[in-house]
């Protein structure tokens, strides 16, 4: 353990010497310590978690996302600038008159008016997600189930530079399926070589042949739209991958966002 003796730092009554002292009043060792302390605050990397259907951000972060939170904690048990932070976003951004509780948008059926409303609900949810991304503190997205579907649309819009999109660094889709209302967008993405897109946005798709909610073939179809995407297979069914596979997800995220990671 490194111990520093603090000298030349004058408190002005707040009770926090680090807030009250000025840099010019510190010894070099104190300057280094304070700069390292500040790097912990400003260098953190953040992942936005998008829950699946019939859920909420609170429930997802407390239970559904436990494996990936544990995997990140294991990889960066020392915290600080190395640690991934996770923030949630709730389903109610996409709510409308036909959207069911906990859904990013309503299920789609054969009625054309229903399809139009479903698309409108999806557009509202996606606009809310992109508004959150524009706050500028998010590196990437991990979406689960229906959250993976909206994440894929956000990723496609960013890769093509669609107006209103935000250039995030990566997207991880856990489960999910091809979103029919956005067929034109994803077909255009698939037809655009990665080198000609507005943004080279790496994606990982976590799929399971045991998934009874979203068949893995649908997830593969979605992954193909992004071209050079990575597929991680697991046996966790419709849930997030088990912790060992989630550790692979975290390692992949580290390789994408190297600043502050063990791979820098």
């Amino acid at each position: 353990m490194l111990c520093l003796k603090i000298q030349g730092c004058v408190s002005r009554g707040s009770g926090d010497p680090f807030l009250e002292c000025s840099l010019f009043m510190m010894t070099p060792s104190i300057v280094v310590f304070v700069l390292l302390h500040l790097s912990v605050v400003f260098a953190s990397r953040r992942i936005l978690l998008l829950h699946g259907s019939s859920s909420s951000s609170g429930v997802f972060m407390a239970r559904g996302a436990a494996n990936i939170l544990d995997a990140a904690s294991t990889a960066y048990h020392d915290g600080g600038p190395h640690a991934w932070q996770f923030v949630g976003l709730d389903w109610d951004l996409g709510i409308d008159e036909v959207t069911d509780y906990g859904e990013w948008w309503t299920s789609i059926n054969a009625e054309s008016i229903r399809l139009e409303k479903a698309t409108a609900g999806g557009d509202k949810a996606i606009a809310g997600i992109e508004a959150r991304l524009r706050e500028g503190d998010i590196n990437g997205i991990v979406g689960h189930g229906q959250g993976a579907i909206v994440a894929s649309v956000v990723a496609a819009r960013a890769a093509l530079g669609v107006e209103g999109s935000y250039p995030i660094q990566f997207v991880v889709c856990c489960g999910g399926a091809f979103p029919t209302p956005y067929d034109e967008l994803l077909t255009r993405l698939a037809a655009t070589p990665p080198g000609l897109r507005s943004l080279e946005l790496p994606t990982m798709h976590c799929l399971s042949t045991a998934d009874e909610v979203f068949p893995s073939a649908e997830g593969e179809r979605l992954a193909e739209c992004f071209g050079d995407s990575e597929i991680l297979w697991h046996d966790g069914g419709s849930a997030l991958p088990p912790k060992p596979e989630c550790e692979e997800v975290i390692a992949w995220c580290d390789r994408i966002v190297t600043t502050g990671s063990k791979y820098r």
Side-chain angles (χ1 to χ4, degrees), residues 16 18-19 33-46 78-85 136-137 139 260:
D16 188 342
F18 289 106
L19 294 178
F33 179 81
V34 171
L35 292 177
L36 288 174
H37 179 76
L38 291 175
S39 73
V40 170
V41 176
F42 295 110
S44 295
R45 301 170 299 161
R46 292 181 176 85
D78 56 345
H82 290 177
W84 282 103
Q85 294 184 0
D137 62 339
N139 297 99

Side-chain angles (χ1 to χ4, degrees), residues 45-206:
R45 301 170 299 161
R46 292 181 176 85
I47 291 175
L48 179 65
L49 295 176
L50 301 181
H51 63 79
S53 61
S54 302
S55 186
S56 67
S57 62
V59 171
F60 187 50
M61 293 188 72
R63 295 199 295 269
N67 286 343
I68 196 162
L69 296 179
D70 288 348
S73 178
T74 298
Y76 292 102
H77 58 85
D78 56 345
H82 290 177
W84 282 103
Q85 294 184 0
F86 295 84
V87 296
L89 192 63
D90 226 337
W91 58 270
D92 59 1
L93 288 172
I95 208 166
D96 61 14
E97 66 272 19
V98 298
T99 302
D100 297 326
Y101 177 88
E103 309 290 319
W104 288 99
W105 65 63
T106 189
S107 299
I108 298 168
N109 60 29
E111 299 176 24
S112 61
I113 188 170
R114 186 77 167 175
L115 175 61
E116 292 170 2
K117 288 183 178 180
T119 305
D123 288 346
K124 184 177 179 181
I126 289 160
I129 294 168
E130 290 175 341
R132 176 63 184 86
L133 294 176
R134 281 193 291 276
E135 294 181 22
D137 62 339
I138 302 295
N139 297 99
I141 298 174
V142 172
H144 173 233
Q146 201 181 66
I149 296 176
V150 291
S152 72
V153 177
V154 170
R157 286 169 51 83
L160 293 173
V162 176
E163 184 178 358
S165 63
Y166 188 83
I168 49 178
Q169 293 173 271
F170 64 85
V171 168
V172 178
C173 297
C174 299
F178 189 94
T180 304
Y182 299 93
D183 177 84
E184 185 277 331
L185 174 72
L186 289 164
T187 299
R188 180 155 55 96
L189 177 70
T192 306
L196 298 180
R197 297 173 184 172
S198 298
L199 176 69
E200 292 189 18
L201 199 166
T203 62
M204 172 180 274
H205 302 260
C206 304

